[in-house]
Amino acid sequence: MNRTYAGTLDKSHAGSAATIAGWVQKQRDFGELVFIDVRDRSGIVQVVVDRSKGASEELLAIAKELRSEFVLRVAGEVRERSESTKNSKMPTGEIEIVATSIELLSRADTPPFPVDDEVDAAEDLRLKYRYLDLRRPALARNIILRDRIAHGVRDYMHRQGFLEIETPILTKSTPEGARDYLVPSRVHKGTFYALPQSPQIFKQLLMVSGLDRYYQIARCFRDEDLRRDRQPEFTQVDIEASFIDEEFVFTLIEGMFAEVFPLAGIPITTPFPRMGWQEAMDRFGIDRPDTRFGMELIDITAAAKAIDFAAFREAETVRGIVVPRGSSLSRRQIDDLSEEAKKLGASGLVWMKFDGLRGSSIKKFLDDAKFDSLRDALRANFNDLALIVAGKTTRVWDVLGSLRLKLGKEQGLIPGDRWDFLWVVDFPLFEWDEESGRFFARHHPFTSPRLEDVEKIESDPGATLARAYDVVMNGLELGGGSIRINTPELQSRMFRALGISDEDARDRFGFLIDAFRYGAPPHGGVALGFDRMVMLMARAESLREVIAFPKTARAQDLLSEAPSRVDEKQLDELGIALKRPS
RNA sequence: GGGGUCGUAGUUCAGUCGGUUAGAACGCUGGCCUGUCACGCCAGAGGUCGCGGGUUCGAGUCCCGUCGGCCCCGCCA
C-alpha cells in the first residue's frame, strides 16, 4: 500500500492518485457534500466527498459519520481546487483529495481537549493525555526536530572518527554533586545501584581502554528540584577523546554546532569568541554571560570610596549598572528592584537618577561634585538610571548580574534574533564553600589544573586555574567540560586538596584511580545539554516542549502515574521495609 | 524546604458587596443544509464551583487546612 504524507501534497500531484492515512482534524457536513480535514504527522489535507460529482451513497454515509480523531485511510485523486475555493492559510490549500474510498480504521471518544495548536489546554491535562498532545503539529514538529538534531550529531561525530558506546545505567553512587536516584539490589540486599548523573567515570575509563574517541547521546539522572530548563532525567551529548587539548574540543564542538544549528535556521559563525572566567564575572557578574546586550557592570570603587557613606567606605568593592533611559522608572519599580537585590543577598541597593533632579537614595551624602564624579565613573548619560551595590565582590557580582538580566528582559534590551555563542575559559579549579569551610571542585574532581598552576593546588588553591571550559549561548549554559587529570599522583593531590581522604577516594573512585596506574593517556571532553539545545532550536519555553514524555515540576509522570507504590511482595524480595507504611 | 500564582460545564473562561434557579464561547448529541476550511441555521444535553473543615440565616465568593498544575529562590560537582 503506497501511503503519502498529507502535508507533502501540492499542485504538482494534481491528477494523480493518492492514499493517505491519519486522524480526522475536522469534518464539515453540508448534507450531500462533506469535507474532511485529515491530519498525519506531516500536516493536514482536505478530503472531499461530493454526491453530485459521483460519490456513492455508501461513501457519503461513512463521511457523514466521521468525528474528530477518528482514524481512517482515504484513497482518491488529488485535484487542484478552483481559484475561488483555494485556502492560502493552509500549506496544502491549493489542492484537495477527491475520495474514492474511505476506510474507517478506528473510532475515537471525544478528546478531553481539542487537538489543535490554537488551544491552550491546562498543562496537567496535556501531560495526562500526552499521546493526544503529541498529535498537535506544533509539538510533533519539536519531536521531529529533535530527531533531526540527534541524527545530525551522530552523523557528524561518526565522521570525526568517534565511536558511539553505551555505558551502564545501573552504576555506583558517588555522593558529592547532585542527589542520586537509587535502585535497590535484590541479589545483594541492602545495597543500591545509582542511576548515572553523567557517564563521567566510564568515559574516562574508555580512554584508559584505548578506545580513544567516545561519544554517546546519554540519559542522565539527577534527583533535584525541577525548573523549566531542568528535568530529573535528561539527555547529554557526552564526548571524550584522548591525546587532545582544549583547542581540539573547541574546534570539534564549533564544527558540530555549525552543522546542527542551521537545521533550525540559526546561523553559526566560527570560531566562537572566548572569554576568561574573571572577565565574565567582572563584566557580567555571571559565568555564563548573555552578551546580546550591554548594561555591563562598572567598577566605581575608587570614586565611591571618596564619599562619606559607610556602606561604600567599608565595602570590598562598589559596582554599578547603568539602565539606559532608566530615570523614568517609578519609585515603586525601584523599590521592587531593591527588594530583589536584598533577596539576592545585597545589604542594600543605591540608585541614582541622571535627570535634571539628580535624585538618589544617598542624596544626603552627595554634593554636586560627588554626584558628578559617580556619574562620570559610571559613564552614564542624561536620563539614565544607575543601580549600585557595595560589598563582597562575589556577592556584588551575583546581585548585579541578576539585576542586569532582569532589567535586560523587562526593558526590552535583548534583541530577538541574535545567537551569541561563546566559550568561557580559565575557570578557577576550586570554589570555596562558606558553609562547610572547605574547597569544592568547581567542575569535578578529575579536572586538570593548568600546567603552570599545579604547585598552587597546595600553596594557593583559590588562585589555581582549571583546564575547564563552558560553551554558552545567549546566557544559557549549553555544555561544559575539561581536560582531565591522567596521573594517579596528581589525582591524589587533588583529592587531598578537596579534603577527600585516601580511604574515601578509594571507596568512591578506587576503580578509576586503579585504572590510571595502568597507563592513562592525556584526555578530555565535554558534555552538552541536548534537551536545551533542542529547546533553543525549537524556540520553546520549556524542556517539556521538546521531550516526548516529560515530568511535572514535582517529578511525576502524569501519564503513567510514576512514581507509584509497589507490592509488599516486591519490597520483600528487595529486603526493604518502609519506615512509615501508609 | 520557602515564596508567588492558578484551580467554576468536556475545554477556555466570566461570575459585582456573601443573597433567589451558577453563565458565555467553543466542543458534544439530534435535525436541516452543495464549496466549506473558525461553515451556517434550528433544537438539546451537560456542574462534587479541586478536596476537607469552619464562620454565617445563607458560601463559587470570607477564614483555616489540604491536594494538584505552573513560575521563582534554595538545590542542581
Side-chain angles (χ1 to χ4, degrees):
Chain A
M1 166 183 33
N2 272 328
R3 180 166 68 97
T4 314
Y5 278 119
T8 61
L9 293 168
D10 60 31
K11 249 193 320 198
S12 70
H13 301 86
S16 58
T19 300
I20 59 167
W23 286 258
V24 174
Q25 175 73 39
K26 186 83 193 172
Q27 178 248 41
R28 289 178 295 279
D29 184 349
F30 286 79
E32 301 267 282
L33 168 72
V34 176
F35 297 102
I36 309 141
D37 292 339
V38 177
R39 177 189 67 239
D40 61 28
R41 80 175 203 205
S42 68
I44 295 171
V45 75
Q46 174 168 285
V47 170
V48 60
V49 174
D50 190 343
R51 191 80 174 94
S52 74
K53 299 265 169 59
S56 69
E57 196 69 59
E58 292 71 29
L59 192 58
L60 184 71
I62 295 171
K64 289 178 83 72
E65 198 188 347
L66 296 172
R67 295 292 179 272
S68 289
E69 304 309 319
F70 280 23
V71 184
L72 40 73
R73 182 182 293 119
V74 178
E77 185 188 323
V78 179
R79 181 176 69 187
E80 185 171 356
R81 300 193 200 177
S82 71
E83 279 311 315
S84 63
T85 61
K86 285 183 178 173
N87 183 349
S88 58
K89 283 180 251 168
M90 281 176 76
T92 60
E94 288 197 309
I95 51 111
E96 61 196 357
I97 296 181
V98 182
T100 53
S101 87
I102 297 176
E103 208 180 327
L104 178 53
L105 301 172
S106 181
R107 291 164 189 280
D109 288 352
T110 303
F113 57 88
V115 179
D116 186 338
D117 283 340
E118 302 303 312
V119 174
D120 53 323
E123 184 124 20
D124 48 345
L125 252 196
R126 292 176 48 200
L127 288 169
K128 183 172 175 191
Y129 299 95
R130 188 63 168 180
Y131 42 87
L132 296 180
D133 204 21
L134 286 166
R135 286 184 196 165
R136 293 167 50 236
L139 197 48
R141 245 196 319 276
N142 290 351
I143 302 301
I144 293 166
L145 175 66
R146 187 177 174 119
D147 164 74
R148 302 255 159 78
I149 298 165
H151 187 258
V153 166
R154 288 204 166 93
D155 185 58
Y156 175 80
M157 292 305 286
H158 175 74
R159 273 186 280 119
Q160 301 299 318
F162 282 75
L163 306 171
E164 182 170 9
I165 304 173
E166 291 145 285
T167 52
I169 293 291
L170 296 175
T171 175
K172 186 180 165 70
S173 174
T174 54
E176 182 150 19
R179 207 174 285 119
D180 284 320
Y181 277 101
L182 296 177
V183 179
S185 162
R186 175 186 57 83
V187 180
H188 306 279
K189 293 197 172 40
T191 66
F192 296 83
Y193 302 96
L195 305 182
Q197 296 180 22
S198 83
Q200 185 61 36
I201 292 176
F202 289 103
K203 69 176 175 177
Q204 292 192 244
L205 290 172
L206 286 169
M207 295 305 104
V208 179
S209 307
L211 286 163
D212 178 355
R213 289 186 176 196
Y214 144 92
Y215 85 101
Q216 182 181 192
I217 298 187
R219 196 66 64 86
C220 304
F221 307 85
R222 293 179 191 176
D223 187 4
E224 298 293 347
D225 288 336
L226 286 77
R227 291 287 186 280
R228 61 214 268 228
D229 62 349
R230 260 166 39 193
Q231 282 270 315
E233 56 179 305
F234 61 100
T235 305
Q236 284 187 344
V237 180
D238 194 48
I239 297 171
E240 195 80 6
S242 297
F243 311 110
I244 54 117
D245 57 13
E246 290 86 336
E247 295 303 325
F248 175 91
V249 176
F250 295 165
T251 308
L252 179 76
I253 298 305
E254 285 164 2
M256 178 199 292
F257 282 8
E259 278 197 23
V260 157
F261 277 86
L263 291 174
I266 296 172
I268 295 283
T269 310
T270 58
F272 300 159
R274 297 176 199 177
M275 189 183 295
W277 176 85
Q278 184 71 42
E279 183 186 344
M281 298 308 289
D282 279 332
R283 290 177 56 194
F284 301 97
I286 192 168
D287 60 4
R288 45 186 164 90
D290 189 336
T291 53
R292 287 174 299 173
F293 66 105
M295 213 159 73
E296 295 184 14
L297 280 57
I298 299 166
D299 191 333
I300 55 165
T301 310
K305 293 275 184 193
I307 290 159
D308 190 24
F309 177 50
F312 283 1
R313 257 199 343 264
E314 291 157 15
E316 183 179 294
T317 190
V318 182
R319 300 183 190 205
I321 54 176
V322 175
V323 187
R325 290 172 304 284
S327 68
S328 59
L329 261 68
S330 69
R331 188 54 193 264
R332 173 71 187 274
Q333 285 173 296
I334 293 175
D335 283 349
D336 284 352
L337 291 169
S338 213
E339 196 163 317
E340 180 83 16
K342 280 179 190 151
K343 239 188 270 172
L344 294 163
S347 33
L349 182 69
V350 170
W351 56 267
M352 300 174 72
K353 280 187 176 178
F354 302 104
D355 51 13
L357 300 171
R358 306 163 84 88
S360 170
S361 54
I362 55 165
K363 197 168 173 84
K364 62 179 167 183
F365 300 100
L366 297 172
D367 56 29
D368 280 2
K370 283 180 173 142
F371 190 95
D372 289 346
S373 76
L374 285 181
R375 184 198 59 205
D376 292 346
L378 288 159
R379 298 188 293 278
N381 294 312
F382 192 68
N383 277 340
D384 286 351
L385 166 78
L387 301 172
I388 299 163
V389 178
K392 240 173 110 34
T393 307
T394 49
R395 189 50 54 83
V396 172
W397 279 337
D398 245 28
V399 175
L400 288 178
S402 298
L403 290 182
R404 173 178 176 272
L405 286 176
K406 187 180 160 73
L407 282 161
K409 269 177 220 149
E410 285 176 5
Q411 301 290 303
L413 301 177
I414 303 177
D417 220 34
R418 224 172 110 178
W419 311 90
D420 279 12
F421 290 86
L422 159 85
W423 289 105
V424 177
V425 299
D426 295 335
F427 282 87
L429 186 61
F430 301 105
E431 187 169 23
W432 179 257
D433 181 61
E434 291 286 353
E435 221 171 283
S436 53
R438 71 173 180 103
F439 282 106
F440 272 90
R442 184 173 196 96
H443 186 53
H444 57 58
F446 316 111
T447 299
S448 175
R450 297 199 310 186
L451 215 58
E452 60 268 39
D453 285 356
V454 168
E455 295 317 318
K456 292 187 190 161
I457 293 179
E458 290 85 13
S459 63
D460 190 1
T464 316
L465 295 187
R467 297 182 70 180
Y469 33 80
D470 278 358
V471 59
V472 171
M473 204 226 46
N474 292 356
L476 212 84
E477 184 191 325
L478 282 186
S482 64
I483 303 300
R484 327 294 182 189
I485 294 167
N486 74 314
T487 66
E489 294 75 22
L490 189 53
Q491 189 65 67
S492 297
R493 286 171 69 184
M494 185 71 184
F495 283 141
R496 249 174 302 178
L498 290 168
I500 301 174
S501 70
D502 287 357
E503 203 178 44
D504 251 20
R506 260 265 58 78
D507 188 42
R508 281 146 67 172
F509 313 112
F511 53 105
L512 182 66
I513 301 169
D514 281 345
F516 279 4
R517 292 167 50 217
Y518 296 98
H523 63 285
V526 66
L528 306 171
F530 183 70
D531 312 89
R532 286 185 186 175
M533 286 169 62
V534 180
M535 178 172 109
L536 279 171
M537 290 191 231
R539 279 84 163 166
E541 287 295 310
S542 157
L543 242 39
R544 292 188 299 277
E545 302 298 308
V546 298
I547 295 174
F549 299 102
K551 293 189 173 50
T552 67
R554 297 191 61 239
Q556 288 182 299
D557 176 357
L558 296 181
L559 172 55
S560 71
E561 295 184 318
S564 61
R565 295 183 186 285
V566 297
D567 284 348
E568 201 61 37
K569 182 160 171 276
Q570 282 177 289
L571 290 177
D572 265 355
E573 282 180 336
L574 295 165
I576 290 178
L578 295 180
K579 250 183 170 173
R580 266 174 304 166
S582 48

